[in-house]
Amino acid sequence: MAWRSLVLLPFLLTAVSGNTAPFFNMTFVYVPEDLELGQQAFQLTAIDIDGDPLTYSISGPEAFYFSVDAHTGVVTLRNSLDREVLPRLTIIVGVLDGTNEAVLKRLTIIVEDRNDNAPVFQNLPYETSIPENMTLNSIIYTVFANDSDTGNASKVSYSIEEVIPDNTKNRWLFYILPNGNVLLNGSLDYAKNTFYQLKILAKDGGGMLHNTLIFQQSSTYLSVTVRDLPNLDPRFLNEPYSGSVPENCNLGTTVLTVTAMDRDTGVNDEISYSISNASVPFVINATTGTITVSGPLDREQLPSEEVLLEVTAREKNLDIHGEVAQASTLVAVVVTDVNDNKPQFYHCSLPSCNFTNAQNNFRGSIIEHSSSRLPVANLSIVAHDPDKGINSNYELYLQGPNASAFAVSPTKIVGTGEVQLLVQDPSSVDYEISHVMVVQIIADDTGNPTNCCSTATVTIELIDSNDHIPEFPQSTYNLRVMENSPAGTIISPNITAYDPDSGVLGQITYQLLPESIRKIFTVNATTGAVLVQNGSLLDRETRSIYYANLQAKDGGNLVGTTVLEITVLDDNDMAPIVTGSYFISVEEGQNVTTQIQAIDNDEPGNRNSELGFRILPGPFSNNFTINATTGEMHSEEPLDREALEDERGQMVVTVEVYDHGVPQLSTLVNVTFTVGDMNDNAPVFLNQSYEFSVFEDSPGSFVGEVEATDADQTEINSRISFLLQRGSGSSNFLIRSSHLGPGHYGGQLSVDPDTSLDYDTLQQKFFSLVVLAENTAADNMGDTANVSVVVHILDVNDEPPTVLPASLKDVNVNENGTQQGLVCTLVASDPDTDHLLVFEELAVACFKGASSAGEVCWDWFVLAPNGSVLVNSSDIDYELCDRVVLTLRAEDLYTEKGNRYSQNETLRIHITDVNDNTPVFLPILETFVVVPEISPVDLQVATVKATDADSGRSGTITFSIVSVVLVEDNGVSRPFENLFKVVTTPEQDSYVGSIQVASNLDGSLKGQYQVTVEAQDSEAPVHRAETVLTIFTVDQSYRVRLQFVKTVDEVQSNAENIKVALTTATKAGVYVVAIRSTEDTRASQVQAKSVMEAYFVYSNGTALDVNQLSVLIQSDPLVLAELVNLGLAVIGPGEVVKPTRETELIGIIAGLVAFLLIFILVMTLVLVLTTRSYKRKLSAMKALKVATTFSPAMAQQGAGIPGTNQYNAEGANPMLNLQLDPSHDLGFHEDSVSVASTNSLDENTVNAPEDDNLKSKQHKAQLTDPTDEEVLVAALKLKEPTRIAYTNQTFTTTDL
């Protein structure tokens, strides 16, 4: 076809000219972003087979950053790079050999990251407010800093460098977690600090910058404001408080103002004031705190001039504890004095004056003609002014008709002082002139002219002298007094003497003489009345008359006397006297008579000495009578000994002997009758019958006791003995008598020591006995009584208990405390009739599956003594333990013999799982890649794994796709729906989610899919978890066409070998799209028969394009040879754009024209080409010979460059990072200009689809001689030399 001729045209021109265009063997380079200006960034290296001088150039918008040395190809940095702004640059590199047109190629420059960025805090500024009572370890804020670098240089760690205000406590008050959470590490107090500023440092993980390990960091401040809470009481300011106010001031007068503030300054609650004191003349304004006078103030009436007020400040609202916030303070108010009181006089003596009742009249006395300066006696005057200080100064002076006879002392007083009147003129003090003198004392307060003065009138009595003797009207007085008269009894009301002297001298005092008489009688010293001093000494029976002298003495000690004759009268003061004692014995059943004898010592012949007799009420008063006049006593009836409670048989009767005087006197006497006992009573049992019990198999055991009494009062008559009446079963028992008390005996019944009673063999479980009580008195032997006794035989608890199996069935309990209280109740039984069973827990075993879970469940359950199994903890966790085994037993607390415990039993408690765990995704360690073109529906492209610690449906996981977002290479995100699906498959202990293609994928899209997968469990409450998968997509630009000279069937049969060889060379996964026959071989010099279209993808999501694949295959000669053997001919791009029909016609015409022009040149050069072909064959053979003998140790390691004997220093595959050595020239070519590559793989200069605009500027090296293929085949057949057993790694088809 004509278009094929057009394609061949440039190759024909090259063959004719003999000069091959240079080409680049580099696709991308790496440049560090910290490269300094002027430094070498990379080296442009182009390959020219002809060895022509090359000129390099760069172009494109992004060539702005670089400059190139046109001769050396060294590219240096012209403008600074920044990976974070421009991570990848693309420039057009060009090379010109001076002969051919410039060859242009797109070169990708990848900017390598360096640690040139410090972390940058986001969402500034950082400010927060927290309450002062925030709990410990609470999160107060979260900071975040982003580092745009990569790797460790992008990992940010945080620390708190400084806390303001700076002190030791604040330094540790906060701490920060790796995720940026700032936590509280101590307690806050608004009163101490209301604001903190935290300097937070963000530091990256470090990275290289200018060949030095650098750690970048930045800092910012977090402002923390502490919110005040009402937790403090108010506080008074400017304490202490004191003020003053004058007395008598107006109501409402301001004293002072108190001020309190809320210590919670951030709250600043409203405060009200009050006075706690009661009854004080002050009030306080509840709002302002101003204290004012509320009542009359009189300093002199107050307890103290300083009044203490207790003021309380109370906040309006309750504090955080629900209590009233308040504080109190004392306010001292001094009431200052005002001169508002005049001095006054008081009748008292210092310091005992209370100054309550002032007086104006006073009385005193003085002996007439007393000497000068002698004070008036009996005068107690105190002057007092209640004012204070200078206000209490006043003067004293005298007024009145007798003022000149006396003087006042002192004349000036401050406050309080005693006032005396002193004789000033003794001649004026004369009793004969005047018995009484009167003066007035004036107290004058000169500082108070309106109310200045007080007056005290003093009446002074003058005392006369003594000049008369007292005289009695009679010389003898006859008096009478009753004996035993009480002290103070008046014998004579007044026996007085007369003395005409006045005053004290005329006052008479009386006394009795001789002094011994004063023990019995006394006289009133003032009135002369005679009285009984001691009535107990007045006893007529001892003395009936007394004589005494009565003396009268005046104030001057002058004496007058008279004689007193005192007769003592008789009184009934002598009680009757009983003569003899009365103890009478009488036999039981007889009467008794006795006579009571008595006398009275009062005066004979009167009623005071007349006697009478009577029996006083008592226990036995009704058993006797007595003659009231003679005192003869008789029993009413015969006496009964048993009627007496006294063990001695005595009856005591009290007889009173009395006289008939006033007051009546009497004497008591006890008459004791002792009654002798007779045996006249039979024994009596206390109970009508007795019932006892005794345990089986207990020989000699005590059974019980019967009791009987005998009413006789003597021991011999009341003695009792017990015996068993013969009968059924009586031989099994014994009875023994014992004395319990007077007439009281017990019979102790016991089992015969030789008898063993068996509860199980007895038909009847009791014995009926008859016990006899016999009186053993000698006179009435044989008096008996009997009683019935029933003895029950009791079973002995000697059998062990048994736990009922039905109560030991397995039980289920839900985890997490969702089940509380009773789990189950255990039941036990005991065959004994009397038992008390309790349960005891012996051990607890914890299991998770078949393995022990240690001690985790030991406190989950508790076994109560009554058998109740109770939940004891809310921490029951199925994931820790799913089975609890309790080992237990039952105990009979009443067991008396044998084993008291049951056999050990086990109770199994199964823990029921509750859905309390969220599914957890397992880490994903692989990279997922999808090739849309070969990814049919249902193809698995990724997997996730998740586990759930719950069991059953709670732990059953179902996966679902939440969202799919395609992140394109330019950073644009595009959401998709129904693009992928997930299939859930259970595995051991986990679930696998297979991410599969749900609909056809678009192969033209470039980027990576962000697939959000959700895992949820299957039982309420449902728990969910999400993870994001990254699936790299390989678009159609990476599809490569491999042309083979073999048929489709042959390629398909060798497909696996081909894939192995390609994988060996590329280390990539080979994804074959199709193998089909070729319809177009225009891109090669050989006739291809089939085409394999494939993708070459690495596990990290990157793929190889056609250029990279070509370089990798050429770098491995063995793989290249293997692929050639398998038929590989040409490597080309995956897509070839078919020309339109118009384009084909133009191409045909242009090809024909070009062919006519070139034909002449071709024919001219045939001869030259033939000669050069022969030389090339010789060179190939020489190269073959040298290659087969070349030592591997001398071989230059590296990949050969097609068409040359040079080596590529950049390496064939930058992703594999192959380091290749510089080339080594073997010197096989005499004329390098004439050499053309015989490697059919030289077609690798075909550009990727995006480089279509450069295709016209690129040339292909073609074989010029058909015999070159034969040389290639011959060389490949000799790849295994026979003489030397090694493979020559440096031999390539290029050397042919």
Side-chain angles (χ1 to χ4, degrees):
M1 296 178 69
W3 66 270
R4 289 186 178 179
S5 300
L6 182 60
V7 174
L8 292 174
L9 178 60
F11 300 105
L12 294 175
L13 291 174
T14 301
V16 172
S17 65
N19 191 291
T20 304
F23 64 92
F24 288 102
N25 194 19
M26 52 194 307
T27 305
F28 50 83
V29 294
Y30 290 92
V31 177
E33 66 173 324
D34 62 344
L35 189 67
E36 296 183 358
L37 297 180
Q39 288 188 340
Q40 179 176 339
F42 54 90
Q43 172 78 49
L44 290 180
T45 303
I47 301 169
D48 191 308
I49 300 175
D50 305 307
D52 297 330
L54 301 180
T55 302
Y56 298 94
S57 64
I58 59 174
S59 61
E62 294 174 346
F64 161 80
Y65 293 94
F66 304 97
S67 61
V68 62
D69 188 312
H71 301 290
T72 63
V74 174
V75 179
T76 57
L77 188 67
R78 185 171 65 179
N79 290 289
S80 299
L81 298 175
D82 189 351
R83 187 200 66 83
E84 288 70 37
V85 177
L86 193 61
R88 178 186 295 179
L89 300 87
T90 302
I91 63 175
I92 306 299
V93 297
V95 61
L96 182 65
D97 61 357
T99 302
N100 299 287
E101 293 186 12
V103 176
L104 302 179
K105 180 178 177 65
R106 188 184 300 271
L107 179 65
T108 299
I109 302 173
I110 299 175
V111 181
E112 292 182 319
D113 186 38
R114 290 294 183 268
N115 190 14
D116 60 340
N117 289 279
V120 178
F121 284 96
Q122 306 296 310
N123 304 318
L124 293 174
Y126 291 152
E127 297 176 343
T128 185
S129 175
I130 59 176
E132 64 175 324
N133 65 341
M134 175 171 276
T135 57
L136 194 66
N137 295 324
S138 297
I139 298 175
I140 65 172
Y141 200 79
T142 299
V143 301
F144 174 71
N146 181 53
D147 194 316
S148 55
D149 293 319
T150 60
N152 285 335
S154 66
K155 297 178 180 178
V156 180
S157 61
Y158 303 93
S159 63
I160 298 177
E161 292 297 302
E162 182 183 4
V163 179
I164 301 174
D166 186 14
N167 57 53
T168 303
K169 179 181 178 182
N170 291 347
R171 198 167 304 157
W172 303 105
L173 189 58
F174 306 93
Y175 67 95
I176 190 167
L177 297 179
N179 62 359
N181 288 342
V182 180
L183 279 71
L184 182 65
N185 194 37
S187 60
L188 301 174
D189 189 346
Y190 182 89
K192 294 180 179 179
N193 279 316
T194 62
F195 178 80
Y196 295 92
Q197 194 170 46
L198 281 63
K199 183 179 181 181
I200 298 177
L201 181 69
K203 184 177 181 181
D204 62 22
M208 301 302 294
L209 181 64
H210 302 302
N211 297 322
T212 304
L213 181 61
I214 295 296
F215 292 89
Q216 298 278 10
Q217 64 184 29
S218 61
S219 63
T220 188
Y221 285 93
L222 168 60
S223 298
V224 180
T225 301
V226 181
R227 291 200 309 275
D228 196 12
L229 297 177
N231 63 336
L232 297 174
D233 291 332
R235 178 178 63 194
F236 282 94
L237 304 180
N238 303 321
E239 290 185 293
Y241 291 103
S242 62
S244 63
V245 62
E247 62 176 335
N248 301 329
C249 66
N250 296 329
L251 299 183
T253 300
T254 299
V255 180
L256 57 82
T257 299
V258 298
T259 303
M261 63 170 290
D262 187 353
R263 286 198 291 166
D264 301 310
T265 55
V267 178
N268 198 19
D269 199 1
E270 180 180 337
I271 294 178
S272 60
Y273 303 90
S274 62
I275 296 178
S276 303
N277 305 52
S279 303
V280 292
F282 299 96
V283 294
I284 189 169
N285 188 293
T287 303
T288 65
T290 300
I291 299 175
T292 56
V293 178
S294 63
L297 283 180
D298 187 350
R299 188 193 67 82
E300 290 75 27
Q301 298 299 322
L302 294 175
S304 171
E305 65 180 8
E306 182 179 74
V307 180
L308 290 179
L309 305 178
E310 184 178 359
V311 178
T312 301
R314 184 177 289 106
E315 295 182 12
K316 180 178 181 181
N317 299 306
L318 299 180
D319 62 15
I320 61 175
H321 307 295
E323 299 177 354
V324 176
Q326 62 182 21
S328 298
T329 188
L330 292 178
V331 178
V333 179
V334 177
V335 180
T336 58
D337 185 48
V338 174
N339 193 359
D340 57 346
N341 292 280
K342 65 181 180 180
Q344 290 184 310
F345 297 96
Y346 297 88
H347 181 65
C348 61
S349 297
L350 293 178
S352 59
C353 295
N354 55 17
F355 305 114
T356 55
N357 296 315
Q359 295 188 14
N360 296 325
N361 297 302
F362 298 89
R363 299 186 70 85
S365 64
I366 190 168
I367 300 175
E368 60 179 330
H369 308 303
S370 295
S371 60
S372 179
R373 303 299 296 175
L374 186 70
V376 176
N378 301 322
L379 187 63
S380 297
I381 302 176
V382 174
H384 172 66
D385 189 332
D387 292 325
K388 187 177 181 181
I390 193 172
N391 294 331
S392 64
N393 291 342
Y394 54 93
E395 297 179 352
L396 298 175
Y397 58 88
L398 296 179
Q399 287 182 350
N402 302 122
S404 59
F406 300 92
V408 64
S409 177
T411 58
K412 291 184 178 181
I413 295 178
V414 177
T416 304
E418 291 186 347
V419 180
Q420 290 184 326
L421 287 179
L422 306 178
V423 175
Q424 182 170 286
D425 183 7
S427 60
S428 300
V429 183
D430 189 353
Y431 182 81
E432 284 71 28
I433 298 176
S434 175
H435 297 329
V436 176
M437 301 181 75
V438 178
V439 296
Q440 293 176 338
I441 304 175
I442 307 300
D444 185 6
D445 186 351
T446 58
N448 187 5
T450 59
N451 187 21
C452 65
C453 304
S454 293
T455 302
T457 301
V458 181
T459 301
I460 304 171
E461 295 181 356
L462 301 184
I463 300 174
D464 194 11
S465 58
N466 187 17
D467 56 354
H468 292 87
I469 297 174
E471 294 183 358
F472 287 97
Q474 297 177 214
S475 59
T476 301
Y477 290 89
N478 295 316
L479 305 176
R480 296 195 302 174
V481 64
M482 184 68 69
E483 68 172 331
N484 299 321
S485 294
T489 301
I490 299 175
I491 300 173
S492 176
N494 55 350
I495 298 177
T496 58
Y498 172 72
D499 189 326
D501 290 326
S502 62
V504 175
L505 297 176
Q507 293 179 357
I508 301 174
T509 58
Y510 300 91
Q511 66 176 354
L512 290 177
L513 298 173
E515 186 175 350
S516 59
I517 199 67
R518 298 176 192 166
K519 296 180 181 180
I520 303 172
F521 303 102
T522 186
V523 63
N524 187 298
T526 302
T527 65
V530 181
L531 300 90
V532 176
Q533 174 69 21
N534 188 353
S536 63
L537 299 179
L538 287 176
D539 187 3
R540 187 202 65 80
E541 288 74 24
T542 303
R543 184 175 177 178
S544 60
I545 191 168
Y546 293 89
Y547 294 94
N549 290 326
L550 178 61
Q551 184 184 76
K553 181 186 294 185
D554 63 14
N557 292 324
L558 298 179
V559 177
T561 61
T562 187
V563 177
L564 301 180
E565 181 183 298
I566 304 173
T567 301
V568 180
L569 303 178
D570 184 36
D571 186 26
N572 187 21
D573 59 346
M574 301 299 292
I577 300 173
V578 178
T579 60
S581 59
Y582 298 91
F583 294 94
I584 304 167
S585 296
V586 63
E587 289 296 328
E588 183 179 9
Q590 298 182 3
N591 289 314
V592 64
T593 300
T594 187
Q595 177 71 45
I596 307 300
Q597 301 290 334
I599 61 173
D600 193 317
N601 291 325
D602 283 324
E603 184 177 0
N606 61 24
R607 294 186 62 83
N608 290 339
S609 60
E610 183 180 347
L611 300 180
F613 302 87
R614 56 174 171 260
I615 297 174
L616 295 182
F620 307 106
S621 60
N622 294 329
N623 297 94
F624 298 92
T625 60
I626 192 169
N627 188 295
T629 302
T630 65
E632 186 177 65
M633 188 175 180
H634 302 276
S635 62
E636 291 284 352
E637 59 185 10
L639 303 179
D640 184 4
R641 176 71 171 79
E642 285 70 39
L644 303 178
E645 295 181 358
D646 185 71
E647 61 181 7
R648 294 173 297 177
Q650 292 184 345
M651 303 173 67
V652 179
V653 180
T654 302
V655 175
E656 181 183 28
V657 182
Y658 58 91
D659 61 20
H660 292 81
V662 178
Q664 190 178 70
L665 302 179
S666 62
T667 300
L668 301 180
V669 61
N670 287 331
V671 181
T672 302
F673 298 94
T674 301
V675 181
D677 185 40
M678 296 179 63
N679 190 7
D680 56 354
N681 291 281
V684 176
F685 281 98
L686 297 186
N687 295 332
Q688 294 182 354
S689 63
Y690 291 89
E691 192 167 354
F692 304 118
S693 60
V694 66
F695 287 105
E696 64 172 326
D697 193 19
S698 55
S701 297
F702 176 75
V703 176
E705 185 177 42
V706 298
E707 296 182 26
T709 60
D710 192 307
D712 293 323
Q713 297 298 304
T714 58
E715 192 276 333
I716 191 171
N717 291 331
S718 63
R719 188 181 303 158
I720 301 173
S721 63
F722 298 92
L723 57 98
L724 290 172
Q725 183 175 333
R726 290 185 177 275
S728 175
S730 62
S731 60
N732 295 321
F733 301 93
L734 300 177
I735 193 167
R736 181 179 293 105
S737 301
S738 63
H739 182 255
L740 302 179
H744 186 192
Y745 288 81
Q748 297 171 351
L749 186 64
S750 61
V751 180
D752 192 326
D754 298 328
T755 301
S756 178
L757 301 175
D758 188 359
Y759 180 86
D760 299 324
T761 59
L762 292 176
Q763 294 182 352
Q764 291 185 339
K765 311 301 181 183
F766 63 90
F767 293 94
S768 296
L769 307 177
V770 176
V771 177
L772 301 178
E774 185 176 54
N775 190 319
T776 59
D779 53 349
N780 283 324
M781 187 69 175
D783 287 345
T784 61
N786 62 74
V787 70
S788 173
V789 177
V790 177
V791 180
H792 295 274
I793 308 303
L794 301 179
D795 188 19
V796 174
N797 190 336
D798 55 0
E799 295 293 335
T802 302
V803 181
L804 299 184
S807 66
L808 293 170
K809 293 182 179 179
D810 294 359
V811 294
N812 297 324
V813 175
N814 292 335
E815 66 169 333
N816 293 343
T818 56
Q819 181 175 340
Q820 297 291 331
L822 182 66
V823 175
C824 66
T825 302
L826 302 179
V827 181
S829 65
D830 193 311
D832 293 316
T833 56
D834 187 17
H835 57 261
L836 177 60
L837 304 184
V838 296
F839 286 87
E840 178 184 5
E841 182 182 296
L842 300 178
V844 180
C846 314
F847 296 92
K848 178 60 178 176
S851 302
S852 172
E855 303 175 359
V856 67
C857 68
W858 280 16
D859 61 343
W860 289 1
F861 303 96
V862 63
L863 174 59
N866 64 353
S868 298
V869 179
L870 306 171
V871 175
N872 191 44
S873 174
S874 60
D875 298 330
I876 299 176
D877 192 347
Y878 172 86
E879 286 69 38
L880 298 178
C881 169
D882 59 7
R883 181 163 50 93
V884 180
V885 178
L886 300 182
T887 302
L888 53 94
R889 66 182 178 186
E891 178 185 1
D892 186 354
L893 298 181
Y894 288 174
T895 298
E896 299 170 86
K897 291 183 180 181
N899 186 12
R900 64 191 305 119
Y901 299 103
S902 69
Q903 293 182 353
N904 293 348
E905 304 290 351
T906 57
L907 173 66
R908 293 175 177 83
I909 303 175
H910 298 279
I911 308 302
T912 303
D913 190 20
V914 175
N915 189 12
D916 60 342
N917 288 279
T918 301
V920 176
F921 282 95
L922 299 182
I924 301 173
L925 303 178
E926 55 185 314
T927 303
F928 302 114
V929 181
V930 61
V931 180
E933 191 174 1
I934 57 173
S935 300
V937 175
D938 297 332
L939 175 68
Q940 176 179 305
V941 295
T943 59
V944 292
K945 278 189 178 183
T947 61
D948 193 313
D950 294 320
S951 64
R953 286 183 53 79
S954 298
T956 301
I957 297 176
T958 303
F959 296 100
S960 61
I961 303 294
V962 176
S963 65
V964 178
V965 177
L966 175 66
V967 180
E968 299 182 1
D969 290 343
N970 57 6
V972 177
S973 298
R974 295 173 56 189
F976 287 89
E977 291 184 358
N978 302 322
L979 204 58
F980 297 100
K981 62 183 179 179
V982 61
V983 177
T984 305
T985 306
E987 285 189 357
Q988 183 178 2
D989 299 330
S990 65
Y991 285 81
V992 176
S994 174
I995 311 301
Q996 300 178 357
V997 177
S999 60
N1000 292 329
L1001 302 178
D1002 188 347
S1004 64
L1005 298 178
K1006 298 181 181 181
Q1008 55 188 27
Y1009 291 103
Q1010 301 289 338
V1011 181
T1012 303
V1013 182
E1014 179 185 82
Q1016 73 173 34
D1017 49 29
S1018 304
E1019 193 168 82
V1022 176
H1023 299 282
R1024 297 177 172 86
E1026 291 185 356
T1027 188
V1028 178
L1029 296 179
T1030 299
I1031 303 176
F1032 295 92
T1033 177
V1034 180
D1035 61 276
Q1036 292 177 350
S1037 65
Y1038 290 97
R1039 186 169 63 182
V1040 179
R1041 289 168 54 93
L1042 303 177
Q1043 298 185 26
F1044 290 86
V1045 295
K1046 296 185 178 183
T1047 64
V1048 173
D1049 293 337
E1050 291 176 317
V1051 173
Q1052 288 179 342
S1053 62
N1054 294 328
E1056 290 302 320
N1057 294 333
I1058 295 172
K1059 291 172 65 177
V1060 170
L1062 293 172
T1063 301
T1064 302
T1066 62
K1067 304 300 187 292
V1070 180
Y1071 298 89
V1072 178
V1073 179
I1075 301 174
R1076 59 178 179 268
S1077 60
T1078 181
E1079 298 178 356
D1080 188 1
T1081 59
R1082 62 187 174 181
S1084 66
Q1085 298 168 277
V1086 297
Q1087 185 67 33
K1089 297 181 179 179
S1090 60
V1091 174
M1092 174 186 287
E1093 295 183 348
Y1095 291 89
F1096 295 84
V1097 182
Y1098 289 98
S1099 61
N1100 63 357
T1102 60
L1104 296 176
D1105 58 17
V1106 61
N1107 294 328
Q1108 296 165 346
L1109 176 63
S1110 299
V1111 173
L1112 288 176
I1113 292 178
Q1114 293 179 54
S1115 66
D1116 193 333
L1118 292 179
V1119 173
L1120 177 60
E1122 178 68 20
L1123 291 173
V1124 172
N1125 283 338
L1126 293 173
L1128 179 62
V1130 178
I1131 301 175
E1135 294 182 358
V1136 177
V1137 180
K1138 293 184 178 181
T1140 62
R1141 189 168 187 81
E1142 292 77 9
T1143 304
E1144 288 185 347
L1145 291 175
I1146 295 173
I1148 293 171
I1149 296 172
L1152 291 175
V1153 174
F1155 179 78
L1156 292 175
L1157 294 175
I1158 295 171
F1159 181 75
I1160 299 173
L1161 295 175
V1162 173
M1163 295 303 294
T1164 305
L1165 296 173
V1166 169
L1167 181 60
V1168 177
L1169 293 175
T1170 303
T1171 303
R1172 291 183 178 179
S1173 176
Y1174 178 74
K1175 291 180 181 180
R1176 289 176 61 199
K1177 290 179 181 180
L1178 292 178
S1179 298
M1181 294 305 294
K1182 181 179 178 181
L1184 177 61
K1185 179 178 180 181
V1186 174
T1188 56
T1189 59
F1190 194 77
S1191 172
M1194 301 170 57
Q1196 174 66 46
Q1197 299 299 320
I1201 298 176
T1204 71
N1205 61 349
Q1206 307 297 314
Y1207 291 86
N1208 183 359
E1210 282 76 15
N1213 185 3
M1215 298 183 184
L1216 298 179
N1217 199 20
L1218 296 177
Q1219 299 299 325
L1220 303 179
D1221 295 334
S1223 63
H1224 177 69
D1225 189 355
L1226 297 179
F1228 293 156
H1229 303 288
E1230 290 99 352
D1231 185 1
S1232 61
V1233 178
S1234 63
V1235 177
S1237 175
T1238 60
N1239 187 357
S1240 64
L1241 301 181
D1242 288 345
E1243 296 291 329
N1244 59 7
T1245 56
V1246 178
N1247 287 295
E1250 61 269 26
D1251 298 330
D1252 292 340
N1253 60 333
L1254 301 178
K1255 286 181 181 180
S1256 62
K1257 298 181 182 181
Q1258 298 182 354
H1259 299 277
K1260 316 296 183 295
Q1262 301 181 18
L1263 294 172
T1264 58
D1265 194 333
T1267 60
D1268 290 346
E1269 183 177 353
E1270 297 175 1
V1271 177
L1272 174 61
V1273 175
L1276 292 175
K1277 287 182 179 181
L1278 293 175
K1279 66 180 181 292
E1280 295 181 359
T1282 57
R1283 291 182 298 170
I1284 301 173
Y1286 62 83
T1287 302
N1288 187 351
Q1289 299 294 337
T1290 62
F1291 178 76
T1292 67
T1293 57
T1294 302
D1295 297 313
L1296 297 179

